[in-house]
């Protein structure tokens, strides 16, 4: 017998034969002594209290770098879905999770709850004596040589959703000379008749998406004025034009003639919004005027609530509430009858130009802040409470919801000049588009809801395919979904 091994064995036997008091005294003296004596040749840890599900969940996170984790959250390729399917398969075989369908990679990344809350020990041995009749559709054949469980076979047979692919390259680029690089203006809009209106300097041009024909609608240089905002009505027959001198002109696009010119503002009109036959206009004079284009100009509503320039206006899909954003960092909500705002949100730290009402969830309002804020925020206007927010990392210039899915697109300025597509309510980035060299200040959605056009101070208009009609329009069952769908 090895002498060293025999010496350690005798030391352990003597230690066990000592009385409790002597053993405690020896341990204390060994602790105080600078020289520690090893009483065993190996350490066997106890795993009785280990949560194997949590350890398995964090194993994949710890083996990747932070940059890899960030890329995994934005991944939409087939390889990322294969990785999620493989992780679910391992959970089934090692933990008995019972997963039968491949989870969504976006929701999988944001989940911190463990899929299986099974309290059974990992190494418990059980014998299943209950026999069930064989079902060829749902059960694995008892003569199968596959080592996988029934749940894993269902997981592998589950249908796979096609990968979402968004082109990173615009399908069309148009030159837009004299397109102003001004955050507070709204110079691009897309009509229901598939006409794009663009304010360039003192002129408004119409571009047909069907024929690519360009026509000049008006020229304000004769009056020494310039265009500061454009907005189509819902039917796409009338286009409103806000001017630097404070006028609001209404033009018939088909006939190319001016129907009326509305006065009332003492400074430039940077925001316009139609609500049926009513037209709302926001100005640098801090006033919002609401007028019916069919009645005399004297019949108007003056909404005063902002302390600085009004730079964002949007009516809700049910035509009952108007949201306004201003350079005073305020987001106000007005109803159709009151002269005072019914709700006021002050969480933004910069100008609020980007405003968008959700077409899917009643009362859901999204807003974005300027350079000092950079945040997307979501509000439940039915209860007046804030829902979620996320820091985008750059100035938020515009927001628009998809008509077919619970997604929205945002355009950004300082400092990244990018276009982001978000999934709601998970707020996962579906796509990141770049190409503009200046702030992406202007955004409009095509009438079919599939394409968007963006404009920037680099004097270009870029067209992107970001949404699809074929996507599922079912609402997410998240606990954040506090609204009912508009029918």
């Amino acid at each position: 017998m090895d002498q060293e091994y025999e010496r350690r064995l005798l030391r352990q036997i003597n230690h066990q034969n000592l009385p409790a008091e002597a053993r405690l005294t020896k341990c204390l003296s060994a602790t105080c002594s600078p020289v520690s004596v090893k009483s065993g040749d190996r350490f066997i840890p106890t795993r009785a209290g280990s949560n194997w599900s949590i350890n398995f969940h964090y194993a994949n996170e710890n083996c990747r770098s932070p940059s890899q984790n960030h890329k995994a959250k934005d991944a939409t390729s087939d390889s990322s879905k294969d990785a999620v399917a493989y992780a679910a398969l391992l959970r089934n075989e090692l933990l008995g999770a019972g997963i039968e369908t491949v989870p969504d990679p976006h929701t999988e990344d944001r989940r911190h709850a463990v899929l299986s809350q099974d309290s059974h020990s990992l190494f418990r041995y059980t014998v299943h004596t209950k026999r069930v009749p064989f079902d060829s559709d749902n059960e694995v054949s008892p003569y199968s040589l596959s080592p996988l469980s029934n749940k894993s076979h269902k997981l592998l047979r589950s249908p796979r959703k096609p990968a979402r692919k968004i082109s990173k390259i615009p399908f069309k680029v148009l030159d837009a000379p004299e397109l102003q690089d001004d955050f507070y203006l709204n110079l691009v809009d897309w009509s229901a008749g598939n006409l794009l209106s663009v304010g360039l300097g003192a002129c408004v041009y119409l571009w047909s998406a069907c024929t690519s024909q360009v026509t000049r609608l008006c020229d304000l240089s004769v009056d020494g004025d310039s265009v500061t905002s454009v907005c189509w009505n819902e039917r796409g027959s009338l286009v409103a034009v806000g001017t630097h001198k404070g006028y609001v002109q209404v033009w018939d696009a088909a006939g190319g003639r001016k129907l009326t010119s509305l006065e009332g503002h003492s400074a430039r009109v940077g925001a316009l919004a139609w609500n049926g036959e009513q037209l709302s206009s926001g100005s640098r004079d801090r006033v919002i005027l609401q007028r019916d284009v069919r009645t005399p100009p004297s019949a108007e509503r003056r909404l005063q609530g902002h302390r600085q320039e009004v730079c964002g206006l949007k009516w809700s899909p049910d035509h009952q509430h108007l949201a306004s954003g201003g350079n005073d960092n305020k987001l106000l909500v007005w109803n159709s009858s009151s002269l005072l705002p019914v709700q006021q949100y002050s969480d933004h730290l910069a100008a609020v130009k980007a405003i968008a009402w959700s077409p899917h969830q009643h009362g859901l309002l999204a807003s974005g802040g300027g350079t000092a804020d950079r945040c997307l925020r979501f509000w439940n206007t039915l209860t007046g409470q804030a829902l979620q927010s996320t820091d985008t990392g750059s100035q938020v210039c515009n927001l628009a919801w998809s008509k077919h899915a619970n997604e929205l697109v945002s355009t950004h300025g300082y400092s990244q000049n990018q276009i982001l597509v978000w999934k709601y309510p998970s707020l996962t980035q579906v796509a990141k588009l770049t190409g503009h060299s200046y702030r992406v200040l202007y955004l409009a959605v095509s009438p079919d809801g599939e394409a968007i056009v963006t404009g920037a101070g680099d004097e270009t208009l870029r067209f992107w395919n970001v949404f699809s009609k074929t996507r599922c329009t079912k609402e997410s069952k998240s606990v954040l979904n506090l609204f009912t769908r508009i029918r």
Side-chain angles (χ1 to χ4, degrees):
M1 181 181 295
D2 185 20
Q3 295 182 359
E4 182 66 22
Y5 174 74
E6 183 179 3
R7 191 182 303 110
R8 291 201 307 267
L9 183 61
L10 291 176
R11 188 184 299 117
Q12 291 182 7
I13 295 174
N14 295 334
H15 180 75
Q16 294 176 359
N17 294 333
L18 287 175
E21 293 81 1
R23 194 182 307 163
L24 179 62
T25 304
K26 187 175 181 180
C27 291
L28 291 176
S29 61
T31 303
C32 298
S33 175
V35 180
S36 60
V37 179
K38 295 182 180 180
S39 59
D41 58 339
R42 62 175 180 164
F43 172 73
I44 301 177
T46 175
R47 297 181 173 88
S50 299
N51 190 328
W52 294 97
S53 298
I54 293 179
N55 293 341
F56 183 84
H57 175 76
Y58 284 107
N60 294 332
E61 297 295 330
N62 294 333
C63 67
R64 296 181 299 190
S65 65
S67 61
Q68 290 174 330
N69 285 329
H70 180 73
K71 292 180 181 179
K73 291 183 179 181
D74 297 336
T76 56
S77 61
D78 292 335
S79 60
S80 65
K81 292 189 176 182
D82 292 339
V84 173
Y86 179 67
L89 187 65
L90 289 180
R91 286 193 178 98
N92 277 353
E93 297 305 311
L94 298 180
L95 307 176
I99 306 172
E100 297 184 4
T101 59
V102 180
D104 187 0
H106 299 304
T107 57
E108 184 70 13
D109 287 331
R110 298 185 63 87
R111 280 171 54 186
H112 297 288
V114 182
L115 292 175
S116 174
Q117 298 297 335
D118 192 4
S119 60
H120 296 290
S121 174
L122 180 65
F123 300 110
R124 179 176 297 177
Y125 177 76
T126 58
V127 178
H128 300 282
T129 58
K130 183 178 179 181
R131 293 183 176 272
V132 295
F134 173 68
D135 184 359
S136 60
D137 294 332
N138 298 321
E139 300 293 335
V140 180
S141 171
Y143 305 105
S144 174
L145 299 179
S146 173
L148 300 180
S149 64
N150 179 37
K151 299 291 185 181
S152 295
H153 277 279
K154 290 183 178 180
L155 173 66
L156 296 177
R157 290 196 301 261
S158 63
R160 297 286 301 275
K161 293 182 179 179
R164 175 77 180 280
K165 298 185 184 299
I166 297 179
S167 175
K168 302 297 182 67
I169 302 175
F171 64 87
K172 185 181 289 292
V173 180
L174 299 179
D175 290 328
E178 298 186 63
L179 185 61
Q180 298 188 53
D181 185 25
D182 193 327
F183 176 78
Y184 300 98
L185 305 186
N186 293 273
L187 297 175
V188 178
D189 198 19
W190 208 330
S191 76
N194 218 5
L195 284 176
L196 188 70
S197 61
V198 185
L200 301 178
C203 301
V204 175
Y205 292 90
L206 304 181
W207 177 80
S208 173
C210 301
T211 64
S212 297
Q213 182 180 358
V214 179
T215 57
R216 187 174 64 181
L217 179 66
C218 64
D219 187 353
L220 307 182
S221 61
V222 179
D223 302 323
D225 210 346
S226 62
V227 180
T228 53
S229 58
V230 293
C231 183
W232 288 95
N233 66 344
E234 295 180 8
R235 289 177 294 187
S237 57
L238 304 178
V239 58
V241 179
T243 74
H244 188 270
K245 290 186 176 180
Y247 296 101
V248 177
Q249 301 180 1
V250 180
W251 287 76
D252 177 12
R257 60 191 181 92
K258 181 169 63 176
L259 301 180
T260 183
S261 181
L262 305 175
E263 301 178 355
H265 289 292
S266 58
R268 69 179 184 185
V269 179
L272 295 168
W274 286 89
N275 185 26
E277 300 298 333
Q278 295 183 343
L279 178 61
S280 301
S281 57
S283 171
R284 184 182 268 180
D285 62 9
R286 303 170 295 178
V287 177
I288 301 173
L289 294 182
Q290 185 173 329
R291 295 169 280 202
D292 193 321
V293 296
R294 301 167 299 180
T295 61
S298 58
E300 65 181 20
R301 294 176 63 232
R302 297 178 65 88
L303 307 180
Q304 295 179 312
H306 288 283
R307 297 182 178 180
Q308 293 190 38
E309 180 174 7
V310 180
C311 50
L313 284 178
K314 285 291 169 55
W315 277 96
S316 61
D318 61 0
H319 307 284
Q320 298 299 315
H321 293 88
L322 173 68
S324 64
N327 197 33
D328 55 359
N329 310 345
K330 297 292 190 298
L331 175 64
L332 306 181
V333 178
W334 316 74
N335 60 21
S336 56
S337 59
S338 176
L339 296 179
L340 296 175
V342 295
Q343 291 176 0
Q344 176 174 318
Y345 303 105
S346 305
D347 292 9
H348 284 291
L349 304 178
V352 183
K353 176 193 177 186
I355 303 172
W357 292 89
S358 171
H360 310 290
Q361 299 174 3
H362 181 53
L364 174 60
L365 177 64
S367 60
T371 307
D373 183 73
R374 306 173 304 180
C375 289
L376 282 182
R377 300 184 183 274
F378 298 85
W379 318 90
N380 181 353
T381 60
L382 303 180
T383 61
Q385 66 180 133
L387 296 179
Q388 299 167 265
S389 67
T390 182
D391 190 343
T392 65
S394 55
Q395 177 188 42
V396 185
C397 301
N398 291 280
L399 284 173
W401 288 87
S402 168
K403 299 179 181 179
H404 312 294
N406 214 5
E407 297 177 349
L408 70 161
V409 59
S410 60
T411 67
H412 300 269
Y414 301 128
S415 58
Q416 301 183 33
N417 305 329
Q418 60 189 355
I419 303 162
L420 299 178
V421 182
W422 306 82
K423 180 186 291 291
Y424 184 84
S426 64
L427 295 184
T428 305
Q429 287 187 22
V430 179
K432 176 181 177 181
L433 310 176
T434 57
H436 285 289
S437 57
Y438 281 69
R439 297 181 295 174
V440 189
L441 297 176
Y442 310 110
L443 169 69
V445 183
S446 64
D448 62 4
E450 295 188 12
I452 63 170
V453 58
T454 57
D458 56 11
E459 298 185 347
T460 63
L461 296 175
R462 297 174 184 263
F463 295 78
W464 317 78
N465 277 320
V466 296
F467 300 127
S468 173
K469 284 185 177 181
T470 59
R471 289 187 56 76
C472 179
T473 58
K474 289 184 179 180
E475 294 182 32
S476 173
K477 300 300 181 181
S478 168
V479 294
L480 300 174
N481 185 1
L482 306 178
F483 313 100
T484 57
R485 186 177 178 85
I486 301 175
R487 300 294 181 185

